[in-house]
Amino acid sequence: MKLRVMPIFITVIVSATVLFGGWFTYRQLTLYSPLTKIVQNYPGVNASHISINPKEVMLKLDLAPSADLGGLVQTLNKQGTDIWGTRTLQLEVTDHSNTELDKVWENAMFSVSQAMATQKYTEIPETVESIMQQNKNIQVKAEMDERNVYVSLSNGKGSKFLILPRNSQVTGGSA
């Protein structure tokens, strides 16, 4: 029996195309499109990039100064958990900070770190309130869920979004 090369080659190409095309279409329709729709429809999201691997969903965000980061995370957790299943959600927010916001955060970082280290999370809103009283042109918002504390600082010219994990110490890095 003589094997013919051309029909075998065509069969392999067609099979690979169907297999990988089907996988790509499945991922696009069941993962990327629904997540992109959730994120892009949320107010204050300028741009986003989603990458998904077997263990995590990495979401890179470019947010407007008025964006509600805590609200976005709540929306993702409510609507997105069915989409990504057992994967963990990792967020990275583009920093549009300026020297004024960096200085304000440096002054508030110790109080916030201490409140988180001692698990006295009710002190964080007090710190936020004192920042707003000392700096009338800066809007500050702090929100919390079971995993993180979300701090947003904005002065109209720039914005700083921080995601502070509740289970480890704060070192002052921004998201």
Side-chain angles (χ1 to χ4, degrees), residues 14-30:
V14 169
S15 297
T17 302
V18 169
L19 179 66
F20 292 114
W23 175 247
F24 175 79
T25 302
Y26 166 77
R27 285 177 48 97
Q28 198 64 29
L29 294 176
T30 61

Side-chain angles (χ1 to χ4, degrees), residues 56-134:
E56 71 179 14
V57 174
M58 179 61 157
L59 184 57
K60 295 181 181 181
L61 299 169
D62 183 6
L63 300 176
S66 61
D68 178 12
L69 180 59
L72 174 59
V73 172
Q74 284 179 350
T75 300
L76 283 168
N77 285 331
K78 284 180 186 172
Q79 298 176 8
T81 311
D82 292 339
I83 297 168
W84 66 69
T86 60
R87 295 174 179 95
T88 59
L89 176 64
Q90 299 295 323
L91 297 173
E92 183 180 311
V93 181
T94 303
D95 191 20
H96 295 289
S97 186
N98 53 36
T99 54
E100 181 183 21
L101 293 175
D102 289 339
K103 186 176 179 181
V104 167
W105 176 243
E106 283 179 25
N107 292 334
M109 185 171 47
F110 180 77
S111 299
V112 172
S113 296
Q114 184 178 15
M116 291 184 67
T118 59
Q119 296 183 349
K120 295 181 180 177
Y121 300 109
T122 56
E123 293 177 7
I124 295 173
E126 295 169 7
T127 302
V128 166
E129 186 63 35
S130 70
I131 291 171
M132 291 177 66
Q133 288 177 357
Q134 294 170 3

